[in-house]
Amino acid sequence: MAPLPIKFTELLQLTTVDIAPASIGFNSCTLESDHYICVRQKLNDDAQPEVIIVDLKNNNQVIRRPIKADSAILHWSRQVIALKAQQRTLQIFDLEAKAKLKATTMNEDVVFWKWFSETSLGLVTDNSVYHWNVLDPNQPAPVKVFERNNNLSTGQGCQIINYRVSEDEKWMVVVGISQQQGRVVGAMQLYSKDRGISQAIEGHAAAFGTIRLEGAPSDTKLFTFAVRTASGAKLHVVEVDHQASNPVFPKKAVDVYFPAEAVNDFPVAMQVSQKYSVIYLVTKYGFIHLYDLETGTCIFMNRISSETIFITAPDSTSSGIVGVNRKGQVLSVSVDESTIIEYLLQNPANSTLAVKLASRAGLPGADKLYSQQFETLLSQGNYVEAAKVAANSPRGFLRTPQTVERFKQVPAQQGQLSVILQYFGILLDKGSLNKHESLELVRPVLAQNRKHLLEKWLKENKLECSEELGDIVRLHDLNLALSIYLRANAPPKVVAALAETGQFDKILPYAKQSGYNPDYTQLLQNIVRINPEKGAEFATALANEASGALVDLDRVVDVFQSQNMIQQATAFLLDALKENKPEQGHLQTRLLEMNLLNAPQVADAILGNDMFSYYDKPKIAQLCENAGLYQRALEHYDDPVAIKRVIVHTNILNPEWLINYFGRLSLDQSLDCLNEMLRVNIRQNLQSVVQIATKYSDLLGPLRLIELFEKYKTAEGLYYYLGSVVNLSEDSDVHFKYIEAATKIGQFSEVERICRDSQFYNPEKVKNFLKEAKLTEQLPLIIVCDRFNFIHDLVLYLYQNQQFKSIEVYVQRVNPARTPAVIGGLLDVDCDESIIKGLLQSVNPASIPIDELVGEVESRNRLKLLLPFLEATLASGNQQQAVYNALAKIYIDSNNNPEKFLKENDQYDSVVVGKYCEKRDPNLAYIAYRKGQNDIELVNITNDNAMYKAQARYLLDRADSELWGFVLSPNNIHRRPLVDQVISTAVPESNEPDKVSVAVASFLANDLPAELIELLEKIVLEPSPFSDNENLQNLLILTATKADKGRVMDYIHQLDGFNATDIAGICIQNGLFEEAFEVYKKINAHAEAANVLVEHIVSIDRAQEYAEQVELSEVWSAVGKAQLDGLRVTDSIDSYIRAQDASNYNEVIDIAIHAGKDLDLIKFLKMARKTLREPAIDTALAFSYARTDQLSELEDFLRSTNVADIEASGDKAYEEGYHHAAKIFYTSISNWAKLATTLVHLEEHQAAVECARKANSVKVWKQVNEACVSKKEFRLAQICGLNLIVHAEELHDLVKQYERNGYFDELISLLEAGLGLERAHMGMFTELGIALSKYHPDRVMEHLKLFWSRINIPKMIRACEQAHLWPELVFLYCHYDEWDNAALAMMERAADAWEHHSFKDIVVKVANLEIYYRALNFYLQEQPSLITDLLQALTPKIDVNRVVRMFDKSDNIPLIKPFLLNVQSQNKKAVNNAINDLLIEEEDYKTLRDSVENYDNYDPVELAQRLERHELVFFRQIAANIYRKNKRWEKSIALSKQDKLYKDAIETAAISNKVEVVEELLQYFVDIGSRECYVGMLYACYDLIRLDVVMEISWRHGLTDYTMPFMINFMSQQASRIETLVKDNEERKKREASQQNNEENTPILGGTRLMLTQGGAGTSPSPVPFAQPNGIASQPTGFRAF
């Protein structure tokens, strides 16, 4: 089969990217280009609408945006989306920039829109067509272009499906379709913008395109459209806007073929490929048509999709077409460049088209035709046509230098242009020339001085620029040559041309752009000599290149210094070294040294800017010190001695810099420098030392610095140093030394501050120091003792020193809060009470902690001492709680009416005072705790002292549920006596319902039912304020239901104020049903009372009696429901009838039907129909008639008005076997399907078939078929079966049914009858094949050959395997492309299925390579005579080495000798070894010699060793040749000498090219006296034999006569060589002299010498510091001239 001329690819399945199938359609899916697919999707009413964008050019990336719009179309190549809402509102958004570009509102509905260019949208409204340039800011709204024609009017039901615009936007076409007379009619409106007129055309799809006709100077514009009318289908191609200079394009109208089954198919889309000039036409049924644009010839037609391709776009990548079908497949179709020409050439009629298409698109496949045509025209002398053929050849394969030479050799005709110029003219008209053609054309053009033609062709890109072309043009115009060099990308020539034209600034950008790296040093040298200013700029540019310096900086500096350009050299180095790289250290040193010697201020500025880091710092430091730059010297010195020598000059150094400088020194260096500074001049340097010590205190260590200052006994320095660091230091020694230093210089305020604020000194050490210091002012000592609680030490020290004033100062000014401790201390030293009282009088009471004071005094049993102070404190208005606590304790101890104080005073702490009273007087403690509501303490004290009555009153008054829970806890051993007091005393005394309720609730919550009943009877049954309380009555009954159920009935009779409904419910919950019944009777709730009898007491008889007593319908309904639940159906129905209640009809119907009470049910349903019209009632009544066999009543009922579900009734009757009734039901509603099924059960088969035909249901056909088969009504069964087998899903069950019953022939007959049906499908053909394989195997092959394309081959394969039909199995494998299995089946069942030629055709197609080797084994065992033929077929596919190993293992190598000789050309080692072994065994030395000489992939040593032991001399000769070939010269020569094959030995020696081998063989021939071989050696090994060796041998053995020819020839050659050397030496001297003269006269740009090698001629000598600083003379770089 010939390859297809198209490439067909599925790019994407839209459903795989979560696009719903419902969203894939013409109105929701758009494809404006091959870049983006845009889909609008809304999954359901609740889902948010979104727009899904699929980027086909970016790995099918999916972008989702929550956008609500009626339509969305995406730009061709950018993420610019156009949205339409409400048919008139248009908005354009840039999704990448997240910006709105434009928006507008139309006056008409937009029915279709489309991007027709990179910038513009086409909008089709009901009446007009608009264009809108969305990227033009000057066009805010769409512009009307033309009006729509009447043939596209909406009134005729025309739907617009496309809008196309020509590339020059001068022609437009609108395409629409409409339904007319049962077919889809296409209508188009073609509009000319220039003429302003429209033309109505019948058509379905259209496109614009261009084509360059042969001989035409410009493209021809074409319009193509396709139409399918009632009479046929046509494709039209017509020319629009004809140009007079172009030939006229004849109108084309060709038939479009549609298959016979595609009756309603029509064109839906059309695209034109400009590359191939091919029209792609797509139809509704998924067919693709390819037509040639120029001739209209149909290239190809086939179906590519089973679904409609509703939208297409051109594929820019493949010059094909992209489309989307309704399944969501994104399909791409394009021309297959590798096969289309071959495909066309299969039809001789298309050979011209194939040639044109190959030429037009540069396609392979027609090269041979072009070559033949070209040669034929040349041989005929038709050179002009031959030139045209060569110019138009595909891919220009004939445009070769050979073709040009052949045309140049053709003589020019008189009065005509030469053939070569005509050839070039054709090429220039067609396009551009290649390199060789451009060279051949330019030479004569420049020779004729027609440079303007060259410039014109270059502007039009007609010539291929090359270095050779530039060399030719350079002789005439350097600037034009530069342009050519630039286009030809010839960097050396471009740089040379730029230099020659003085465009120095363009050299570096060009070199960087082109990646060319010239010798910049020579360039710079030349530029500096010509233009120093430009040279400096060029050098800076070279050094500052982003990728790294392009020139050696040392060489650049040498260049500047050679020209004495010191300033330029400095500026260059500053710029070049700005990156401060380590490898530039020597240059940095060179720069600084140069300026320190010549301009120190410049060096100082450079060093000040800190530009460099890698120069020689010791050297620069010494130079700086010599220049007087001490600061710079210190910056660079590392020697401690030098640093100390310089640093003592602090009067010159910047103080701030000096401080910062110490940060660079080590610890020891810093201390040494500070010591040196203090030693040399302490008065001058003390301030600087203090500043340095302050800044680096943490690094140097405060202790070391303190030691340093103390070494020079400078307390002032120590004070100022420590004063700056003490606030930041946490070192206790620092703080102590500061206190000590401040004390020594009299700074007592600082001493006081540090003692007060510091957190880091040692308080014990400081206290002792201050005590020893004997200060006149004791405030620092007081502060230290106060802070660190040395109060007793302080008081003792001050008391002993009689400094009472200081004690007053302490408690008054320093810390009054320490007064308690001071008083305690004074009491401990037995101070006089008057002094203590006086001290207390002098202190403000508000500042004294009374609690501590009382504690201090109370602990010493001196509490009464404070009474005057406390009373005075109260009198002063002090309300501290501690004062009242202290007074309360004093009154209690003194028994000074404490009850009154405790009851009337609210300021004391009840817990503290109560605790104080517990052991002294529990009643006082009770008063205090009650006053403060200290519940736990009060409960504990009353429990401990049996004060239950007081506790009960407090609890009732407190009314705290948590407290009640605490005292009523089971863990409380005092609960019983407490409860007794609550019931007997507290509750009867109370008149507050809320507090009583809290108590009751607490009893209930703590599970004390008996106690609660006792309490409630006390307050409810006995006369009390709470007797009529409804809640308490409810609670009493509720508690009794839980604790004492025997009392509930009495309580119900005694009480009237409870909530009856709630109580009844509670009784029911607790199983007291009689009590609940009594409650409902008491309140006349008859329905509820009856419900209790029915539901809980479960006495239906009592309920019926009760209903007869009250005679209420709701009671009867409840009784009826209970009777129904008890399955007393008849009584229940009677009760419902007495109640006239049909509301429970569903349950009555259900239970009555199950109980078989149909007659009773009929009475109930008749009653129910009087008030209700429910389908369930009528349905039940109808079915009851059916169950009671009242068919006449049933028919009357169905004829009357009813709302019964007749179909459901019929179904139920059918299920329960009432088929006659079911027949009546189904007949009344004309349900043919179910009626047919019913008739089957009634065995009315003919009628059942008729009903099945009317029903036309698969299920019905299936049931009728089964019935007919079971009754052996095969004719009727076949009628049913034919309607079943067209449904693939039913076919399997039908076949199984026939097979189970053994009706095999009837099954085959049925399937054969079905093959002719219109709806015959693959399953029918397959099942027939399977049936034949089982029951008529002789007919299977015939069936397969007729219908293999319509059979499910895998399924049929399994059937044939089961039936052992091996030829048929192989046939199926082959047609299913299962070549592997086909080959295996043939080999496994060779007796039945193997046939050599078929097997050979099959085996070459298998995919599993192992089958090849299995086939070889099979042939080896079964058909060894044919194995060579098989190997010939398998040669390209098998592993030759493996084949050799396989046959070698089985010792069958001779069997495959022809195969081995055939594949020996592959030069595989295994093959060569096998052949060599075989030839040795056959003693075929001739073939063996050819084998080892032509194929060298074998083990030469092993083979040679085998052959050298062979008895035949020919094989030993081959061994010698093998040794020679592998350079084992001695072994080869030894073998040759052994067999006296002296010629071979001489040849081996000559080939070896080794002198020692040759001389050894030469000596051997002399020794054996073989003078002929001696002479032969001299001749064959002439170049390898030394003259002295030959002369010695000749003299010693008398062989002068034999040696003389050799001697004569050697002397002759020697004389000739000497003469040649003399001549060459003279010519070289002349050349060198001429070259020296040329170099001296060569200009700078173009010479071959560098400035660095020319010396200093014409310039002043360089200064000594800059002349060759490294001592190395400049060397040539090897850069050659431009």
Side-chain angles (χ1 to χ4, degrees), residues 446-458:
L446 291 177
Q448 299 174 15
N449 199 22
R450 302 174 70 180
K451 188 174 67 174
H452 64 282
L453 288 178
L454 177 60
E455 295 174 349
K456 173 178 176 293
W457 292 333
L458 287 174

Side-chain angles (χ1 to χ4, degrees), residues 923-939:
N923 289 318
L924 292 178
Y926 171 77
I927 293 172
Y929 289 145
R930 184 182 181 92
K931 188 74 172 178
Q933 292 188 351
N934 307 113
D935 300 331
I936 302 301
E937 290 81 2
L938 186 145
V939 170

Side-chain angles (χ1 to χ4, degrees), residues 485-486 489-492 494-495 507-518 520:
Y485 287 142
L486 285 170
N489 192 21
V494 173
V495 171
I507 293 176
L508 190 57
Y510 172 76
K512 181 179 178 181
Q513 176 186 354
S514 62
Y516 175 59
N517 188 23
Y520 288 110

Side-chain angles (χ1 to χ4, degrees), residues 13 139 504 526 533 752 895 998 1170 1197 1222 1246 1255 1396 1656:
Q13 173 59 255
Q139 192 177 113
F504 305 116
N526 294 334
E533 183 178 349
E752 179 183 341
N895 197 20
V998 173
K1170 295 177 182 178
F1197 173 76
Q1246 184 65 44
H1396 175 62

Side-chain angles (χ1 to χ4, degrees), residues 742-753:
T743 303
K744 289 180 180 180
I745 65 172
Q747 295 291 335
F748 299 115
S749 60
E750 276 298 296
V751 177
E752 179 183 341
R753 182 183 69 81

Side-chain angles (χ1 to χ4, degrees), residues 466-524:
S466 62
E467 188 173 344
E468 293 84 351
L469 181 62
D471 293 341
I472 295 172
V473 176
R474 181 186 182 126
L475 302 174
H476 301 271
D477 190 331
L478 183 57
N479 288 322
L480 189 59
L482 175 59
S483 173
I484 294 173
Y485 287 142
L486 285 170
R487 299 187 187 188
N489 192 21
K493 297 296 179 70
V494 173
V495 171
L498 289 173
E500 288 187 33
T501 55
Q503 303 180 56
F504 305 116
D505 56 332
K506 296 182 180 180
I507 293 176
L508 190 57
Y510 172 76
K512 181 179 178 181
Q513 176 186 354
S514 62
Y516 175 59
N517 188 23
D519 188 342
Y520 288 110
T521 305
Q522 184 184 14
L523 279 175
L524 176 63

Side-chain angles (χ1 to χ4, degrees), residues 144-155:
K144 184 176 179 180
V145 182
F146 60 92
E147 299 282 347
R148 278 176 57 175
N149 266 1
N150 293 332
N151 68 323
L152 295 175
S153 64
T154 309

